Amino acid sequence: MSNLLNAPERGAIEVFLLRQERRGEQAPTYERLLGYLSGVVITPGGLLPSDWVQPLLEYNGIVFPAMDDAKSFMDLLMQLYNRVNEKRLRGENLCPFDWSNVSDPEDAQRQGTEWGIGLHDALKLRSKIWAPEKHEVRHVSTKLVEELGHALAFLWAIAEPQSVPDILPDPLPFQRNFLSHTPGWREDMLRETWDEELVEMFRLTCLGRLTTMTDTFQRYSKAYDTGTRAGSSKPSLASGKVRVGRNDPCPCGSGLKYKKCCGH
């Protein structure tokens, strides 16, 4: 598993999260926050803290008894955010799980689900970007847009499994394309409608595709940003008409410093 799951900030962040546990409610998890931050950094155009911090706190029911607590938590969160973003800038897949080397499958599934929920929460912040009309993304290949649609459906199934019948009304293609390859499968085992067991099988199948989904999201984000910048009326950085310091805000509007964005 990636070292993002064991980042130096993890212990202190979890102390804050455990304080949020209330009667009958489970505390938010580190994995969910990590998934959320991953969604934030891969969103095309970039999200400013003012766009994503408050929703993060609201989604997870995080409150602070004092301003000092809030400042300490935000300092830790931004340090983790920078680690996630640096990984993105290196072109690495942000999914932190290696499903080929799992010692505790049940715990791995729990962590993967939490990470997926956090990622789902972040992508919802810019739904028009992640679920656009075709005419809005003509600069992105049709194949990649279709691939994005499948990835979003899989992610939705992880975050909201009760919605699987709405995502895929017909369960037969899933059974024939995926379950038919499992040992012991027989044609007479086909089910015409979704039930709890079949939904869970689909959710687990989607969970196993988290790394592939994340790759799709990251490739789409890059293609979306590249096409948007190419079609922008803003002066080109390469033209020499604009002089930007490495620590200045990037002219592309991402909210990042130039050295961390177009000047990387």
PDB file of all heavy atoms in Angstrom, residues 164-193:
ATOM      1  N   VAL A 164     -27.377   0.871  -6.720  1.00  0.00           N
ATOM      2  CA  VAL A 164     -26.953   0.015  -7.831  1.00  0.00           C
ATOM      3  C   VAL A 164     -28.093  -0.297  -8.800  1.00  0.00           C
ATOM      4  O   VAL A 164     -27.918  -0.221 -10.020  1.00  0.00           O
ATOM      5  CB  VAL A 164     -26.295  -1.282  -7.304  1.00  0.00           C
ATOM      6  CG1 VAL A 164     -26.136  -2.312  -8.427  1.00  0.00           C
ATOM      7  CG2 VAL A 164     -24.934  -0.970  -6.693  1.00  0.00           C
ATOM      8  N   PRO A 165     -29.305  -0.655  -8.324  1.00  0.00           N
ATOM      9  CA  PRO A 165     -30.402  -0.921  -9.273  1.00  0.00           C
ATOM     10  C   PRO A 165     -30.747   0.279 -10.153  1.00  0.00           C
ATOM     11  O   PRO A 165     -31.259   0.100 -11.266  1.00  0.00           O
ATOM     12  CB  PRO A 165     -31.574  -1.289  -8.357  1.00  0.00           C
ATOM     13  CG  PRO A 165     -30.929  -1.834  -7.122  1.00  0.00           C
ATOM     14  CD  PRO A 165     -29.702  -0.976  -6.941  1.00  0.00           C
ATOM     15  N   ASP A 166     -30.482   1.492  -9.670  1.00  0.00           N
ATOM     16  CA  ASP A 166     -30.721   2.690 -10.483  1.00  0.00           C
ATOM     17  C   ASP A 166     -29.599   2.900 -11.485  1.00  0.00           C
ATOM     18  O   ASP A 166     -29.824   3.370 -12.606  1.00  0.00           O
ATOM     19  CB  ASP A 166     -30.849   3.927  -9.598  1.00  0.00           C
ATOM     20  CG  ASP A 166     -32.044   3.857  -8.660  1.00  0.00           C
ATOM     21  OD1 ASP A 166     -33.093   3.353  -9.107  1.00  0.00           O
ATOM     22  OD2 ASP A 166     -31.928   4.285  -7.503  1.00  0.00           O
ATOM     23  N   ILE A 167     -28.371   2.554 -11.070  1.00  0.00           N
ATOM     24  CA  ILE A 167     -27.216   2.717 -11.947  1.00  0.00           C
ATOM     25  C   ILE A 167     -27.269   1.712 -13.097  1.00  0.00           C
ATOM     26  O   ILE A 167     -27.042   2.049 -14.254  1.00  0.00           O
ATOM     27  CB  ILE A 167     -25.907   2.526 -11.152  1.00  0.00           C
ATOM     28  CG1 ILE A 167     -25.821   3.514  -9.992  1.00  0.00           C
ATOM     29  CG2 ILE A 167     -24.696   2.672 -12.069  1.00  0.00           C
ATOM     30  CD1 ILE A 167     -24.684   3.222  -9.034  1.00  0.00           C
ATOM     31  N   LEU A 168     -27.561   0.456 -12.742  1.00  0.00           N
ATOM     32  CA  LEU A 168     -27.650  -0.618 -13.727  1.00  0.00           C
ATOM     33  C   LEU A 168     -28.967  -1.369 -13.527  1.00  0.00           C
ATOM     34  O   LEU A 168     -29.001  -2.364 -12.802  1.00  0.00           O
ATOM     35  CB  LEU A 168     -26.473  -1.596 -13.561  1.00  0.00           C
ATOM     36  CG  LEU A 168     -25.088  -1.118 -13.967  1.00  0.00           C
ATOM     37  CD1 LEU A 168     -24.061  -2.185 -13.634  1.00  0.00           C
ATOM     38  CD2 LEU A 168     -25.040  -0.804 -15.454  1.00  0.00           C
ATOM     39  N   PRO A 169     -30.027  -0.918 -14.141  1.00  0.00           N
ATOM     40  CA  PRO A 169     -31.327  -1.569 -13.936  1.00  0.00           C
ATOM     41  C   PRO A 169     -31.324  -3.056 -14.286  1.00  0.00           C
ATOM     42  O   PRO A 169     -32.026  -3.845 -13.660  1.00  0.00           O
ATOM     43  CB  PRO A 169     -32.262  -0.773 -14.862  1.00  0.00           C
ATOM     44  CG  PRO A 169     -31.604   0.567 -15.010  1.00  0.00           C
ATOM     45  CD  PRO A 169     -30.136   0.278 -14.992  1.00  0.00           C
ATOM     46  N   ASP A 170     -30.527  -3.428 -15.289  1.00  0.00           N
ATOM     47  CA  ASP A 170     -30.476  -4.828 -15.711  1.00  0.00           C
ATOM     48  C   ASP A 170     -29.231  -5.503 -15.134  1.00  0.00           C
ATOM     49  O   ASP A 170     -28.105  -5.147 -15.504  1.00  0.00           O
ATOM     50  CB  ASP A 170     -30.445  -4.903 -17.236  1.00  0.00           C
ATOM     51  CG  ASP A 170     -30.475  -6.332 -17.753  1.00  0.00           C
ATOM     52  OD1 ASP A 170     -30.538  -7.270 -16.924  1.00  0.00           O
ATOM     53  OD2 ASP A 170     -30.429  -6.509 -18.986  1.00  0.00           O
ATOM     54  N   PRO A 171     -29.379  -6.476 -14.236  1.00  0.00           N
ATOM     55  CA  PRO A 171     -28.218  -7.111 -13.619  1.00  0.00           C
ATOM     56  C   PRO A 171     -27.590  -8.214 -14.473  1.00  0.00           C
ATOM     57  O   PRO A 171     -26.531  -8.743 -14.121  1.00  0.00           O
ATOM     58  CB  PRO A 171     -28.801  -7.709 -12.335  1.00  0.00           C
ATOM     59  CG  PRO A 171     -30.202  -8.052 -12.702  1.00  0.00           C
ATOM     60  CD  PRO A 171     -30.642  -6.970 -13.667  1.00  0.00           C
ATOM     61  N   LEU A 172     -28.200  -8.571 -15.593  1.00  0.00           N
ATOM     62  CA  LEU A 172     -27.696  -9.684 -16.396  1.00  0.00           C
ATOM     63  C   LEU A 172     -26.316  -9.422 -17.013  1.00  0.00           C
ATOM     64  O   LEU A 172     -25.453 -10.303 -16.971  1.00  0.00           O
ATOM     65  CB  LEU A 172     -28.709 -10.043 -17.484  1.00  0.00           C
ATOM     66  CG  LEU A 172     -30.042 -10.609 -16.978  1.00  0.00           C
ATOM     67  CD1 LEU A 172     -30.969 -10.910 -18.155  1.00  0.00           C
ATOM     68  CD2 LEU A 172     -29.821 -11.874 -16.150  1.00  0.00           C
ATOM     69  N   PRO A 173     -26.064  -8.228 -17.594  1.00  0.00           N
ATOM     70  CA  PRO A 173     -24.722  -8.005 -18.159  1.00  0.00           C
ATOM     71  C   PRO A 173     -23.608  -8.162 -17.127  1.00  0.00           C
ATOM     72  O   PRO A 173     -22.554  -8.739 -17.443  1.00  0.00           O
ATOM     73  CB  PRO A 173     -24.801  -6.559 -18.675  1.00  0.00           C
ATOM     74  CG  PRO A 173     -26.252  -6.358 -18.965  1.00  0.00           C
ATOM     75  CD  PRO A 173     -26.967  -7.110 -17.886  1.00  0.00           C
ATOM     76  N   PHE A 174     -23.821  -7.661 -15.904  1.00  0.00           N
ATOM     77  CA  PHE A 174     -22.807  -7.812 -14.853  1.00  0.00           C
ATOM     78  C   PHE A 174     -22.538  -9.280 -14.572  1.00  0.00           C
ATOM     79  O   PHE A 174     -21.381  -9.711 -14.482  1.00  0.00           O
ATOM     80  CB  PHE A 174     -23.259  -7.107 -13.575  1.00  0.00           C
ATOM     81  CG  PHE A 174     -22.517  -7.538 -12.341  1.00  0.00           C
ATOM     82  CD1 PHE A 174     -21.153  -7.312 -12.224  1.00  0.00           C
ATOM     83  CD2 PHE A 174     -23.176  -8.196 -11.300  1.00  0.00           C
ATOM     84  CE1 PHE A 174     -20.453  -7.719 -11.089  1.00  0.00           C
ATOM     85  CE2 PHE A 174     -22.488  -8.610 -10.170  1.00  0.00           C
ATOM     86  CZ  PHE A 174     -21.128  -8.372 -10.071  1.00  0.00           C
ATOM     87  N   GLN A 175     -23.592 -10.069 -14.472  1.00  0.00           N
ATOM     88  CA  GLN A 175     -23.429 -11.486 -14.157  1.00  0.00           C
ATOM     89  C   GLN A 175     -22.705 -12.226 -15.286  1.00  0.00           C
ATOM     90  O   GLN A 175     -21.826 -13.049 -15.041  1.00  0.00           O
ATOM     91  CB  GLN A 175     -24.791 -12.127 -13.898  1.00  0.00           C
ATOM     92  CG  GLN A 175     -25.478 -11.555 -12.654  1.00  0.00           C
ATOM     93  CD  GLN A 175     -26.898 -12.054 -12.512  1.00  0.00           C
ATOM     94  OE1 GLN A 175     -27.142 -13.158 -12.018  1.00  0.00           O
ATOM     95  NE2 GLN A 175     -27.860 -11.228 -12.955  1.00  0.00           N
ATOM     96  N   ARG A 176     -23.069 -11.894 -16.519  1.00  0.00           N
ATOM     97  CA  ARG A 176     -22.475 -12.599 -17.656  1.00  0.00           C
ATOM     98  C   ARG A 176     -21.039 -12.143 -17.930  1.00  0.00           C
ATOM     99  O   ARG A 176     -20.191 -12.931 -18.333  1.00  0.00           O
ATOM    100  CB  ARG A 176     -23.343 -12.395 -18.897  1.00  0.00           C
ATOM    101  CG  ARG A 176     -24.684 -13.145 -18.806  1.00  0.00           C
ATOM    102  CD  ARG A 176     -25.372 -13.204 -20.152  1.00  0.00           C
ATOM    103  NE  ARG A 176     -26.510 -14.132 -20.109  1.00  0.00           N
ATOM    104  CZ  ARG A 176     -27.773 -13.781 -20.320  1.00  0.00           C
ATOM    105  NH1 ARG A 176     -28.068 -12.516 -20.575  1.00  0.00           N
ATOM    106  NH2 ARG A 176     -28.735 -14.677 -20.279  1.00  0.00           N
ATOM    107  N   ASN A 177     -20.764 -10.851 -17.704  1.00  0.00           N
ATOM    108  CA  ASN A 177     -19.435 -10.312 -18.019  1.00  0.00           C
ATOM    109  C   ASN A 177     -18.420 -10.506 -16.906  1.00  0.00           C
ATOM    110  O   ASN A 177     -17.211 -10.549 -17.159  1.00  0.00           O
ATOM    111  CB  ASN A 177     -19.530  -8.820 -18.353  1.00  0.00           C
ATOM    112  CG  ASN A 177     -20.311  -8.559 -19.618  1.00  0.00           C
ATOM    113  OD1 ASN A 177     -20.377  -9.406 -20.502  1.00  0.00           O
ATOM    114  ND2 ASN A 177     -20.934  -7.391 -19.714  1.00  0.00           N
ATOM    115  N   PHE A 178     -18.898 -10.607 -15.667  1.00  0.00           N
ATOM    116  CA  PHE A 178     -17.977 -10.703 -14.532  1.00  0.00           C
ATOM    117  C   PHE A 178     -18.118 -12.017 -13.774  1.00  0.00           C
ATOM    118  O   PHE A 178     -17.161 -12.765 -13.618  1.00  0.00           O
ATOM    119  CB  PHE A 178     -18.195  -9.516 -13.580  1.00  0.00           C
ATOM    120  CG  PHE A 178     -17.794  -8.186 -14.150  1.00  0.00           C
ATOM    121  CD1 PHE A 178     -18.715  -7.396 -14.813  1.00  0.00           C
ATOM    122  CD2 PHE A 178     -16.486  -7.736 -14.045  1.00  0.00           C
ATOM    123  CE1 PHE A 178     -18.352  -6.175 -15.359  1.00  0.00           C
ATOM    124  CE2 PHE A 178     -16.107  -6.515 -14.578  1.00  0.00           C
ATOM    125  CZ  PHE A 178     -17.043  -5.731 -15.239  1.00  0.00           C
ATOM    126  N   LEU A 179     -19.321 -12.310 -13.298  1.00  0.00           N
ATOM    127  CA  LEU A 179     -19.500 -13.490 -12.452  1.00  0.00           C
ATOM    128  C   LEU A 179     -19.337 -14.789 -13.218  1.00  0.00           C
ATOM    129  O   LEU A 179     -18.971 -15.811 -12.636  1.00  0.00           O
ATOM    130  CB  LEU A 179     -20.885 -13.441 -11.783  1.00  0.00           C
ATOM    131  CG  LEU A 179     -21.153 -12.258 -10.850  1.00  0.00           C
ATOM    132  CD1 LEU A 179     -22.495 -12.441 -10.148  1.00  0.00           C
ATOM    133  CD2 LEU A 179     -20.045 -12.076  -9.829  1.00  0.00           C
ATOM    134  N   SER A 180     -19.600 -14.766 -14.514  1.00  0.00           N
ATOM    135  CA  SER A 180     -19.517 -16.015 -15.290  1.00  0.00           C
ATOM    136  C   SER A 180     -18.098 -16.568 -15.354  1.00  0.00           C
ATOM    137  O   SER A 180     -17.899 -17.738 -15.681  1.00  0.00           O
ATOM    138  CB  SER A 180     -20.035 -15.783 -16.714  1.00  0.00           C
ATOM    139  OG  SER A 180     -19.260 -14.806 -17.382  1.00  0.00           O
ATOM    140  N   HIS A 181     -17.108 -15.723 -15.018  1.00  0.00           N
ATOM    141  CA  HIS A 181     -15.717 -16.175 -15.055  1.00  0.00           C
ATOM    142  C   HIS A 181     -15.255 -16.772 -13.728  1.00  0.00           C
ATOM    143  O   HIS A 181     -14.129 -17.260 -13.634  1.00  0.00           O
ATOM    144  CB  HIS A 181     -14.802 -15.002 -15.424  1.00  0.00           C
ATOM    145  CG  HIS A 181     -15.121 -14.379 -16.748  1.00  0.00           C
ATOM    146  ND1 HIS A 181     -14.998 -15.051 -17.944  1.00  0.00           N
ATOM    147  CD2 HIS A 181     -15.602 -13.143 -17.067  1.00  0.00           C
ATOM    148  CE1 HIS A 181     -15.356 -14.255 -18.940  1.00  0.00           C
ATOM    149  NE2 HIS A 181     -15.729 -13.094 -18.437  1.00  0.00           N
ATOM    150  N   THR A 182     -16.090 -16.732 -12.712  1.00  0.00           N
ATOM    151  CA  THR A 182     -15.704 -17.265 -11.405  1.00  0.00           C
ATOM    152  C   THR A 182     -15.917 -18.770 -11.365  1.00  0.00           C
ATOM    153  O   THR A 182     -16.841 -19.298 -12.006  1.00  0.00           O
ATOM    154  CB  THR A 182     -16.511 -16.603 -10.275  1.00  0.00           C
ATOM    155  OG1 THR A 182     -17.910 -16.851 -10.497  1.00  0.00           O
ATOM    156  CG2 THR A 182     -16.275 -15.105 -10.255  1.00  0.00           C
ATOM    157  N   PRO A 183     -15.056 -19.493 -10.634  1.00  0.00           N
ATOM    158  CA  PRO A 183     -15.188 -20.955 -10.549  1.00  0.00           C
ATOM    159  C   PRO A 183     -16.557 -21.359 -10.000  1.00  0.00           C
ATOM    160  O   PRO A 183     -17.068 -20.759  -9.057  1.00  0.00           O
ATOM    161  CB  PRO A 183     -14.071 -21.342  -9.564  1.00  0.00           C
ATOM    162  CG  PRO A 183     -13.075 -20.226  -9.655  1.00  0.00           C
ATOM    163  CD  PRO A 183     -13.888 -18.990  -9.891  1.00  0.00           C
ATOM    164  N   GLY A 184     -17.152 -22.367 -10.597  1.00  0.00           N
ATOM    165  CA  GLY A 184     -18.422 -22.878 -10.106  1.00  0.00           C
ATOM    166  C   GLY A 184     -19.647 -22.170 -10.643  1.00  0.00           C
ATOM    167  O   GLY A 184     -20.779 -22.523 -10.282  1.00  0.00           O
ATOM    168  N   TRP A 185     -19.429 -21.162 -11.493  1.00  0.00           N
ATOM    169  CA  TRP A 185     -20.584 -20.416 -12.003  1.00  0.00           C
ATOM    170  C   TRP A 185     -21.351 -21.246 -13.040  1.00  0.00           C
ATOM    171  O   TRP A 185     -20.769 -21.928 -13.864  1.00  0.00           O
ATOM    172  CB  TRP A 185     -20.121 -19.117 -12.644  1.00  0.00           C
ATOM    173  CG  TRP A 185     -21.255 -18.350 -13.280  1.00  0.00           C
ATOM    174  CD1 TRP A 185     -21.592 -18.317 -14.605  1.00  0.00           C
ATOM    175  CD2 TRP A 185     -22.213 -17.544 -12.603  1.00  0.00           C
ATOM    176  NE1 TRP A 185     -22.688 -17.531 -14.796  1.00  0.00           N
ATOM    177  CE2 TRP A 185     -23.099 -17.046 -13.591  1.00  0.00           C
ATOM    178  CE3 TRP A 185     -22.406 -17.200 -11.283  1.00  0.00           C
ATOM    179  CZ2 TRP A 185     -24.165 -16.210 -13.284  1.00  0.00           C
ATOM    180  CZ3 TRP A 185     -23.465 -16.361 -10.967  1.00  0.00           C
ATOM    181  CH2 TRP A 185     -24.326 -15.874 -11.960  1.00  0.00           C
ATOM    182  N   ARG A 186     -22.671 -21.174 -12.959  1.00  0.00           N
ATOM    183  CA  ARG A 186     -23.534 -21.868 -13.901  1.00  0.00           C
ATOM    184  C   ARG A 186     -24.578 -20.900 -14.443  1.00  0.00           C
ATOM    185  O   ARG A 186     -25.003 -19.975 -13.752  1.00  0.00           O
ATOM    186  CB  ARG A 186     -24.259 -23.058 -13.254  1.00  0.00           C
ATOM    187  CG  ARG A 186     -23.352 -24.091 -12.617  1.00  0.00           C
ATOM    188  CD  ARG A 186     -24.167 -25.302 -12.165  1.00  0.00           C
ATOM    189  NE  ARG A 186     -25.355 -24.922 -11.404  1.00  0.00           N
ATOM    190  CZ  ARG A 186     -25.361 -24.698 -10.086  1.00  0.00           C
ATOM    191  NH1 ARG A 186     -24.246 -24.812  -9.389  1.00  0.00           N
ATOM    192  NH2 ARG A 186     -26.488 -24.341  -9.475  1.00  0.00           N
ATOM    193  N   GLU A 187     -24.996 -21.117 -15.663  1.00  0.00           N
ATOM    194  CA  GLU A 187     -25.969 -20.245 -16.311  1.00  0.00           C
ATOM    195  C   GLU A 187     -27.287 -20.194 -15.553  1.00  0.00           C
ATOM    196  O   GLU A 187     -27.964 -19.162 -15.525  1.00  0.00           O
ATOM    197  CB  GLU A 187     -26.215 -20.717 -17.750  1.00  0.00           C
ATOM    198  CG  GLU A 187     -27.075 -19.779 -18.586  1.00  0.00           C
ATOM    199  CD  GLU A 187     -26.386 -18.473 -18.958  1.00  0.00           C
ATOM    200  OE1 GLU A 187     -25.149 -18.366 -18.775  1.00  0.00           O
ATOM    201  OE2 GLU A 187     -27.086 -17.553 -19.421  1.00  0.00           O
ATOM    202  N   ASP A 188     -27.646 -21.314 -14.894  1.00  0.00           N
ATOM    203  CA  ASP A 188     -28.926 -21.327 -14.175  1.00  0.00           C
ATOM    204  C   ASP A 188     -28.885 -20.516 -12.879  1.00  0.00           C
ATOM    205  O   ASP A 188     -29.886 -20.397 -12.176  1.00  0.00           O
ATOM    206  CB  ASP A 188     -29.382 -22.758 -13.888  1.00  0.00           C
ATOM    207  CG  ASP A 188     -28.391 -23.523 -13.010  1.00  0.00           C
ATOM    208  OD1 ASP A 188     -27.438 -22.913 -12.474  1.00  0.00           O
ATOM    209  OD2 ASP A 188     -28.566 -24.756 -12.854  1.00  0.00           O
ATOM    210  N   MET A 189     -27.709 -19.937 -12.565  1.00  0.00           N
ATOM    211  CA  MET A 189     -27.577 -19.092 -11.376  1.00  0.00           C
ATOM    212  C   MET A 189     -27.926 -17.629 -11.675  1.00  0.00           C
ATOM    213  O   MET A 189     -27.936 -16.795 -10.781  1.00  0.00           O
ATOM    214  CB  MET A 189     -26.151 -19.187 -10.818  1.00  0.00           C
ATOM    215  CG  MET A 189     -25.775 -20.593 -10.348  1.00  0.00           C
ATOM    216  SD  MET A 189     -24.017 -20.758  -9.931  1.00  0.00           S
ATOM    217  CE  MET A 189     -23.899 -19.727  -8.475  1.00  0.00           C
ATOM    218  N   LEU A 190     -28.195 -17.327 -12.938  1.00  0.00           N
ATOM    219  CA  LEU A 190     -28.531 -15.951 -13.318  1.00  0.00           C
ATOM    220  C   LEU A 190     -29.775 -15.459 -12.589  1.00  0.00           C
ATOM    221  O   LEU A 190     -30.746 -16.194 -12.438  1.00  0.00           O
ATOM    222  CB  LEU A 190     -28.768 -15.859 -14.828  1.00  0.00           C
ATOM    223  CG  LEU A 190     -27.534 -15.847 -15.735  1.00  0.00           C
ATOM    224  CD1 LEU A 190     -27.972 -15.942 -17.187  1.00  0.00           C
ATOM    225  CD2 LEU A 190     -26.705 -14.592 -15.513  1.00  0.00           C
ATOM    226  N   ARG A 191     -29.717 -14.197 -12.144  1.00  0.00           N
ATOM    227  CA  ARG A 191     -30.858 -13.580 -11.469  1.00  0.00           C
ATOM    228  C   ARG A 191     -31.378 -12.425 -12.320  1.00  0.00           C
ATOM    229  O   ARG A 191     -30.600 -11.611 -12.809  1.00  0.00           O
ATOM    230  CB  ARG A 191     -30.457 -13.077 -10.084  1.00  0.00           C
ATOM    231  CG  ARG A 191     -29.794 -14.161  -9.240  1.00  0.00           C
ATOM    232  CD  ARG A 191     -29.295 -13.641  -7.925  1.00  0.00           C
ATOM    233  NE  ARG A 191     -28.283 -14.516  -7.362  1.00  0.00           N
ATOM    234  CZ  ARG A 191     -27.666 -14.322  -6.199  1.00  0.00           C
ATOM    235  NH1 ARG A 191     -27.978 -13.268  -5.467  1.00  0.00           N
ATOM    236  NH2 ARG A 191     -26.742 -15.168  -5.775  1.00  0.00           N
ATOM    237  N   GLU A 192     -32.685 -12.368 -12.439  1.00  0.00           N
ATOM    238  CA  GLU A 192     -33.312 -11.360 -13.282  1.00  0.00           C
ATOM    239  C   GLU A 192     -33.368  -9.987 -12.623  1.00  0.00           C
ATOM    240  O   GLU A 192     -33.467  -8.964 -13.294  1.00  0.00           O
ATOM    241  CB  GLU A 192     -34.734 -11.802 -13.655  1.00  0.00           C
ATOM    242  CG  GLU A 192     -34.797 -13.109 -14.440  1.00  0.00           C
ATOM    243  CD  GLU A 192     -34.283 -12.970 -15.860  1.00  0.00           C
ATOM    244  OE1 GLU A 192     -34.310 -11.823 -16.370  1.00  0.00           O
ATOM    245  OE2 GLU A 192     -33.863 -13.972 -16.447  1.00  0.00           O
ATOM    246  N   THR A 193     -33.332  -9.950 -11.292  1.00  0.00           N
ATOM    247  CA  THR A 193     -33.404  -8.681 -10.557  1.00  0.00           C
ATOM    248  C   THR A 193     -32.307  -8.652  -9.498  1.00  0.00           C
ATOM    249  O   THR A 193     -31.781  -9.690  -9.092  1.00  0.00           O
ATOM    250  CB  THR A 193     -34.772  -8.507  -9.877  1.00  0.00           C
ATOM    251  OG1 THR A 193     -34.990  -9.609  -8.974  1.00  0.00           O
ATOM    252  CG2 THR A 193     -35.891  -8.457 -10.906  1.00  0.00           C
TER     253      THR A 193
END
